[in-house]
Every structure is written in structure tokens, then in C-alpha cells.
Amino acid sequence: MTIPPFHLLRAETVRFTGLRSGSAPLSWGQHAIWKSIQWLGKEDHYFNIPRALPVPPGHTSDQVVEVVAHLIRRHEALRATFADGPQGPVQTVHSDGEVRVEIRETPQLLSHEQALDQAQQLADVSFAHADEFGMRYVVVENGGIPTWLLLVVSHQSTDFFGIRVLERELGDLFAGDRLPPVDWFPLDQARFQQEGDGAARGRASLDYWRRQLIRVPRSHFDFPQGADGAQDDPERFVRLRLDSPAGAVAAEALATRCEVSTSTVLLTAAAVVIAAYSGHDTAVLQLISGNRNEPRLRDMLGAQTENALFVLGLSSGTFEDAIRRCFMPSMSSYRYGEYHPPSMDRVHAEVQRERGVALDLSSFFNDVRMKDRWEDLPETDGSAEQLRELAARSTVSFIGAWPRQDAKYFVHATYAPDTLHLYLMADTAYLPRPLIERLLHAMEALLVNSVHGTVDVREATGADRAERPSTWSFLDACWFDRDAVAALVTGAAGGTATVEPVEDEDGRTRLVAEVVVRDGAEGAPGTEAASGTDAARGTEQALAAVAGPVDPAALHEAVVAALAGRTDVVAPHRYRIRSLSGELLAEGTGRP
């Protein structure tokens, strides 16, 4: 696509003064996106959101600037900065300040695609959140007439729900309408969450997550990595898009029959496919929870979204059965999707220690459509034959690639009037690019084939299944490599370890480590790892705190510390520590 020349005519300054100001800890939604932005570091512009809005005829650029000024004075999020403080990150709303609005010119009219591309270029520059308000504004003129208003919004300032508020209000202001007052802002939300009913809501969510995390698969990627997607690969994470009219027709038919939304149908497809591929009978995904169910939040500009935990049992049944079961778990997920992120981090740490695993909640689903049904689908008689013909027209296209993401499997849907747009971004170290395409088609096949037939959820991906060598075992909803676990314990103990699943006196299977320590090692475990492995990675600090006789609890702490980021290992339930002569020095578990 050719982009016309685009140059600066002038810059207008919007000044504001005497407005409400204040500082407070971040609200929970603000804290959630803050963590993600900090994690991305220099690449945090990934979270900038570009928008290109047409300026209705009859307006001057000065009038467009005044509309922007109205929004800046109306919404505190557009006058807020964010920075780390002694007690954690803080938001500061400014009563006085100024904002730059650029007026740029192009020699020809821009299409929406061209205007959005210009906005994207502006979005490719990170925000300095401590010093800069989280929105950029450009008015595009052609022949002296404003044609586009370009916006770049930092995700720290607001989420997609807030952007829809902005777009709606801009339309109303251009139409000359008066907007009702806003009476609830992120400062108010942050204070509400610190005590009373707000804090109680967060505690209930923490309890829900703990109950789920203690029993579900700790990862859908507990299988060996492939040869693709090296750590330093700039295109390790790939996003593809399925364009499927047949998928949309089928999703509507199934939603009608099961009396659910098409969003529920698509969520079920995403869950069934990752569970079937990874060899689990429970799907665990994180959903994006808007957390705007209260009237006072619906017009608030600010970051409210957090991750919600969705769990769906899939041990048997058909895809249609799974759709019917999906609704209640998804509602529970959203109900408990609002919480204090640092407190949730502590819940994760407690569960990881208690279970002896590294949690890897890296599978996601998000439906960003504002309409549940499609408005212009192809006319069909609904027959299986016509659905197959439509499916033959489906295409998969490449959308983008990135070196780092905090998800390994992210399915999302966007709206188009005449087709299903379903995206899958995945980590090619686990799901190579050809497999990403096949998994998208597997979701489509679930939809299409279930309209006139039945599909067993366990067969959703056909021959595509995660492959595990014979050294891998399944226990407590987790797959793990016994040899890798043995190497991990060996490195932590400074001796030699073997691990085996053993049935205890209660008939429960437990993973038991037999550890033989070298002479003199009884004083404190060593820190060396088995040659050629990363088994001791991350153990040094934990082992430095170990003193006194060989202690299964101390060894367990060292093993758990070494689990971080690994999906191929778990900590044993029990440790038996012996001398070279076979004398039992200690036996026990480090788990609570």
C-alpha cells in the first residue's frame, strides 16, 4: 500500500486548569496492564492502540481541536501519569497542564486503511508514562479541510471498552450533542477497591482462583519443545487469521440450538482444541474480563480489564455437549475476574509451592466483537453439503510475528459482517507455524461438522497430538519428564537422584525421589547440576539458605525454586535421602 506524503502544518496546544487532581495506587485493572507493559520493556509500544476516525463534513480543524479539548477536560485518564513509587505504582491526575494536538496535511484524500496506517506509525513509539499523558492526537487535513482524527491510546490509560466510549462520545460531540456528566473515575475505582465491598470482591476472586489452580493442569504445554522458535528468534510468536464464512454460519446454528451466544461457541472451540492437542481432559484458559458490569463503570475511561480463569472439563462427550457445559464456567470466570494483581501473584506462589509445579497459564481466549451475530452471511439452506462448500472457501493468512509474548496460545475473534475472523497467536517453539494453521482449521471443523453430526472432544485435532517420549508420566493433572525431574533433584541435592511414581498406603500415586548424597554432603546440599542440563537453574539462592542436616523440606524448597518457567518438570511429593552406604539419613516431604 502506498502511503501519501504526510507533513506537519502546525501544532495546537490544549490547556486545562483548575480540574480535580490527586494521586492513588493503581486500580486493579491499571495494575494488571502495568505489569504487562513493564514486562515488555522497550517493546511496550505493542500495547499502544491506534485509531483513525473520520471527521464529519462541515468542521474546521479548530473545531476538531476543541472537541479533543472537551474530552481531555472530561476524562481524568487523559490527564494522568503513571510511575513507580515506594509502595508500588501510582497514578497521578493533574489539575493543570497542556496537551499537543498536531495538524498534518496530505495532498490527497486518505482511505481508512491509509489513515490507520499513519496512526500505527505514531503508535510504534512508546509512551513515557511518568512524564507523558497516555494519548496522542493528530488532525489530518486535505486542502485545508480536516478529514481524519488520528488517536494513539496507551493501554495504560484505558482498555478497549474505554476506547469505545471515546469513539461514541466523539461522534456525539461532532453531532453537537451534550454529554451527560461523568461521576466515576479511575481514582475513585482505586480507592473503592482498597476497602469494604471492593476489597471483599477481590478476596472472593482470590479464593476462586486458588480452588481452581490447586487441581487443574498447570500448563497445556507440558510436552517437549520442537526445533522451531529458538529463544532469540525475532519471529518466534506468530499470529495467523482464519477467514471462514462457514465457521460463522455454523457458529450461529450451534448457538441457536444450544441457546448460548456465538462467543460461547467460539470459546468452547478454542478450549477443546488446546485440550485435545495437549492430551488433557480439562481445558484451562485465561479470558479477558472487562469488569464493567456496574453502571458507573460503563462510561469510565480507564483500564478495567483483567485476566479471568476459565476451566472446562472435557473428559468425554461431543463438542455440542461441551458447548452446553461451557456457559456456567465462563460466567464464574468473569464473576471472579477482578482482583489485586500482587495478591494474585502471592496466590500463584503459594499454589506452586503446595503443588510443586510452575504454573504456566499461557492459553487465552478473547472475543472483541461488539455484535454476537453476523449481519451479511452467505445465504445457505443450512445443509451439510453447502457448509462443506463454504468451508472450501476458507483462507488462513499471516498477520504478524514477534520475538516475545506472554502467551503461548491466544485465540481471539474480531467482527466482519460476512465471515468469521478467528486468530491464533502461538509460540512456535511448541506449535510450529504449519500446526498453527491446522489448529485453526480444527476449530473450524469442530463448528462445521457439529451442525449435522457429532465430534468427540478428544478427537478434535485428529492426528495432531503433542508427542511425549516414554520417559514422560502423567500425575496430578500434569505431564512431566521423569529423567528431567531426576536431573533437577540431582542438581539441587548435590548427589544422585532417581524418581518413580509409587503407590502409597492409601492407594494414591506419589512421585518419590530416592537421593544418594556423596560423603560430606550431609551438612548442606550442593549446587552442581547434572551435566548438559539446566536442572540447577535458579537454585543457588534457595540453596544458600539451607543449613544444618540434610532436610527434605529444604531440598524441596530448592527444587521448587528451580522449576520457574519450566513445563517439563514437577517437584516430587516425597524425598528419601541416603548416604553412599545406603543409610537412610532423612525422609519426608516439603509440601504443606
Side-chain angles (χ1 to χ4, degrees):
M1 177 182 60
T2 302
I3 303 173
F6 188 69
H7 65 274
L8 178 67
L9 287 177
R10 65 187 186 278
E12 300 288 347
T13 299
V14 172
R15 293 182 174 86
F16 55 90
T17 186
L19 303 175
R20 186 177 84 145
S21 64
S23 294
L26 301 188
S27 69
W28 298 341
Q30 289 173 326
H31 206 137
I33 190 63
W34 178 263
K35 286 179 57 182
S36 296
I37 287 174
Q38 299 305 303
W39 181 82
L40 270 181
K42 294 180 179 179
E43 301 299 318
D44 65 359
H45 57 79
Y46 173 84
F47 287 114
N48 293 346
I49 306 160
R51 285 292 184 268
L53 306 176
V55 177
H59 289 81
T60 66
S61 290
D62 287 345
Q63 288 173 325
V64 176
V65 172
E66 185 52 40
V67 165
V68 168
H70 186 100
L71 288 176
I72 292 170
R73 297 183 184 108
R74 174 178 172 81
H75 291 290
E76 292 183 356
L78 301 182
R79 298 181 276 110
T81 54
F82 304 86
D84 276 316
Q87 305 301 319
V90 174
Q91 58 178 312
T92 300
V93 175
H94 298 260
S95 64
D96 306 281
E98 57 185 42
V99 173
R100 174 186 172 98
V101 181
E102 293 186 355
I103 314 297
R104 299 192 181 190
E105 184 181 45
T106 60
Q108 66 187 65
L109 290 173
L110 301 182
S111 66
H112 181 262
E113 184 180 8
Q114 291 171 324
L116 189 59
D117 189 82
Q118 296 284 5
Q120 181 60 62
Q121 291 183 33
L122 299 171
D124 288 339
V125 179
S126 296
F127 282 90
H129 289 104
D131 307 304
E132 183 181 3
F133 299 136
M135 195 151 155
R136 300 181 184 127
Y137 314 84
V138 174
V139 180
V140 179
E141 287 186 357
N142 175 246
I145 298 173
T147 55
W148 294 96
L149 174 60
L150 308 185
L151 305 175
V152 176
V153 188
S154 167
H155 220 328
Q156 185 63 57
S157 293
T158 193
D159 50 32
F160 281 101
F161 294 89
I163 289 175
R164 293 185 185 113
V165 171
L166 270 180
E167 292 173 335
R168 186 186 70 240
E169 291 185 350
L170 280 166
D172 292 342
L173 290 171
F174 280 133
D177 297 339
R178 294 176 61 88
L179 300 178
V182 179
D183 57 6
W184 194 258
F185 299 93
L187 277 180
D188 305 305
Q189 183 68 5
R191 292 161 180 161
F192 168 73
Q193 291 169 337
Q194 292 174 39
E195 58 186 11
D197 291 343
R201 184 180 303 170
R203 290 193 297 271
S205 294
L206 297 177
D207 290 344
Y208 168 82
W209 279 66
R210 166 173 269 285
R211 292 194 304 271
Q212 300 299 323
L213 292 177
I214 207 69
R215 65 180 184 84
V216 300
R218 57 74 153 86
S219 176
H220 280 297
F221 294 89
D222 45 0
F223 53 85
Q225 292 189 27
D228 294 341
Q231 191 70 33
D232 57 353
D233 182 357
E235 297 187 350
R236 173 170 171 171
F237 294 85
V238 171
R239 176 173 288 141
L240 304 182
R241 183 185 73 195
L242 171 70
D243 184 330
S244 173
V249 171
E252 285 199 352
L254 291 168
T256 299
R257 192 159 74 210
C258 296
E259 299 182 313
V260 297
S261 66
T262 61
S263 187
T264 297
V265 174
L266 299 179
L267 166 59
T268 308
V272 166
V273 162
I274 190 59
Y277 180 79
S278 62
H280 286 281
D281 61 10
T282 300
V284 183
L285 285 82
Q286 294 197 79
L287 312 183
I288 310 303
S289 180
N291 296 330
R292 289 177 180 259
N293 295 324
E294 298 169 75
R296 66 187 180 189
L297 295 171
R298 290 173 189 166
D299 291 332
M300 186 191 78
L301 206 65
Q304 269 291 104
T305 54
E306 294 189 76
N307 293 336
L309 183 64
F310 170 76
V311 178
L312 181 62
L314 295 167
S315 59
S316 62
T318 67
F319 179 61
E320 185 171 329
D321 295 333
I323 293 172
R324 297 179 186 278
R325 291 198 304 269
C326 179
F327 178 76
M328 290 306 297
S330 66
M331 290 300 98
S332 294
S333 173
Y334 290 123
R335 179 182 179 185
Y336 297 111
E338 197 171 2
Y339 47 83
H340 181 227
S343 297
M344 182 62 75
D345 291 342
R346 290 190 285 274
V347 168
H348 283 212
E350 292 165 3
V351 169
Q352 288 179 143
R353 183 177 181 276
E354 186 171 340
R355 290 188 63 183
V357 300
L359 293 172
D360 172 47
L361 305 178
S362 58
S363 297
F364 290 80
F365 175 83
N366 190 24
D367 186 353
V368 301
R369 298 175 303 149
M370 292 301 290
K371 300 177 181 180
D372 189 61
R373 300 291 175 127
W374 291 266
E375 295 178 322
D376 193 24
L377 290 180
E379 292 187 7
T380 71
D381 60 11
S383 66
E385 182 180 0
Q386 283 206 351
L387 275 176
R388 286 193 295 269
E389 290 174 358
L390 273 182
R393 291 160 42 186
S394 299
T395 60
V396 172
S397 54
F398 172 79
I399 300 301
W402 301 269
R404 295 178 72 221
Q405 290 289 328
D406 59 354
K408 296 184 177 75
Y409 175 90
F410 199 126
V411 178
H412 82 275
T414 62
Y415 181 76
D418 57 351
T419 187
L420 167 64
H421 279 172
L422 195 65
Y423 301 76
L424 173 54
M425 191 277 292
D427 183 351
T428 59
Y430 292 90
L431 305 176
R433 181 167 167 174
L435 178 59
I436 298 174
E437 181 169 349
R438 294 199 302 273
L439 294 182
L440 279 169
H441 280 301
M443 293 180 222
E444 178 188 43
L446 275 174
L447 301 173
V448 171
N449 294 337
S450 295
V451 174
H452 295 285
T454 59
V455 181
D456 190 315
V457 291
R458 294 164 296 185
E459 305 298 326
T461 56
D464 282 319
R465 302 285 182 89
E467 295 183 359
R468 298 177 177 90
S470 59
T471 58
W472 286 66
S473 295
F474 185 80
L475 189 61
D476 292 345
C478 301
W479 289 97
F480 58 92
D481 182 351
R482 300 187 304 279
D483 288 351
V485 175
L488 190 73
V489 177
T490 292
T496 303
T498 59
V499 297
E500 288 295 336
V502 175
E503 188 173 296
D504 64 16
E505 60 274 12
D506 297 324
R508 299 175 301 177
T509 301
R510 293 289 181 260
L511 189 64
V512 176
E514 292 279 354
V515 184
V516 177
V517 294
R518 64 184 183 276
D519 290 341
E522 290 85 346
T527 60
E528 62 269 47
S531 176
T533 75
D534 321 348
R537 179 177 52 196
T539 61
E540 288 83 356
Q541 288 183 330
L543 290 171
V546 176
V550 170
D551 178 8
L555 178 55
H556 180 74
E557 289 292 335
V559 172
V560 170
L563 295 175
R566 297 187 62 177
T567 57
D568 61 332
V569 290
V570 299
H573 295 88
R574 196 165 188 84
Y575 302 86
R576 294 174 183 152
I577 304 173
R578 301 180 186 276
S579 68
L580 286 173
S581 63
E583 178 186 1
L584 183 63
L585 303 174
E587 180 175 5
T589 180
R591 301 193 181 194

